[in-house]
Amino acid sequence: MDTGKQKHETLFLLRAIDSQNHNLLWQDAVYDDDIAPSLFSEIPLLGWVTAGMPMEICENHEQIQVPKQLVKKNTYALKVRGNSMVEANIHDGDIIVIEQRQTVENGETCVVMINSQYVTLKRLYIDRAGVRLDPANSSMSPITLKNEDVQVLGIVMGLKRSHSLQ
């Protein structure tokens, strides 16, 4: 029987690290509209971040629901615009869950501020030349900067992607 209502499900990808080579992995967790609200916490959706060329900060102040296991002391969310992280399964329109931190390990996917003005989502590497921000898209080039030009804002802990089911 068709009730005419379209069912929705939300895919959450939870952060996991491959212990052998420290690559970011994702563990799927799918929730439909009927899931118990007690499994979720509300966090601020502060705006969007570009997964491409760094852009100026765009702020927003909404709240979203995410699984409790993604929520740490200082957790927030950002909507992704762009395709520089598609090979890490982070796509345009996804909402990423960020744990606020000022430091990360080499190769971790994080949100960074450049020159106190521009924000982007990339994998971060620190080496003798400075900071290298690598896209997860083989058609794009890394961005190399001086250490003092980059401020880490947080690490990606998971992401939210919504689907309409037929």
Side-chain angles (χ1 to χ4, degrees):
M1 181 172 126
D2 184 10
T3 62
K5 291 176 79 176
Q6 194 172 39
K7 187 164 175 103
H8 294 275
E9 73 177 10
T10 303
L11 171 66
F12 286 93
L13 298 174
L14 312 178
R15 180 178 183 267
I17 300 293
D18 178 351
S19 60
Q20 290 186 351
N21 58 17
H22 303 289
N23 285 335
L24 179 66
L25 302 174
W26 296 111
Q27 297 174 343
D28 293 4
V30 179
Y31 299 95
D32 64 27
D33 288 341
D34 303 324
I35 196 75
S38 64
L39 299 175
F40 288 85
S41 291
E42 202 168 77
I43 63 170
L45 175 62
L46 297 181
W48 58 270
V49 62
T50 182
M53 290 304 295
M55 301 289 287
E56 289 189 25
I57 301 167
C58 177
E59 292 187 18
N60 184 20
H61 296 287
E62 297 177 34
Q63 298 286 313
I64 65 164
Q65 298 285 326
V66 298
K68 285 186 175 181
Q69 68 255 42
L70 289 178
V71 179
K72 305 290 184 200
K73 184 177 178 183
N74 295 308
T75 303
Y76 60 95
L78 295 168
K79 191 166 190 172
V80 175
R81 289 192 183 164
N83 61 1
S84 74
M85 298 303 290
V86 294
E87 292 167 13
N89 200 18
I90 301 173
H91 298 274
D92 186 63
D94 287 345
I95 295 174
I96 54 173
V97 178
I98 305 296
E99 178 186 340
Q100 185 176 347
R101 288 191 194 170
Q102 295 181 348
T103 60
V104 296
E105 297 291 324
N106 267 348
E108 287 191 300
T109 301
C110 59
V111 175
V112 298
M113 182 178 288
I114 301 170
N115 296 324
S116 301
Q117 184 176 6
Y118 302 105
V119 178
T120 192
L121 173 67
K122 297 284 186 282
R123 288 185 178 136
L124 184 137
Y125 294 91
I126 299 172
D127 57 31
R128 291 180 185 213
V131 175
R132 189 178 79 237
L133 303 175
D134 279 0
N137 184 328
S138 54
S139 68
M140 297 180 158
S141 299
I143 300 168
T144 303
L145 301 160
K146 296 177 186 172
N147 288 348
E148 60 270 16
D149 295 337
V150 178
Q151 177 188 356
V152 174
L153 300 179
I155 184 171
V156 176
M157 297 301 294
L159 67 85
K160 177 180 179 178
R161 183 179 298 148
S162 296
H163 301 276
S164 294
L165 302 176
Q166 302 296 355

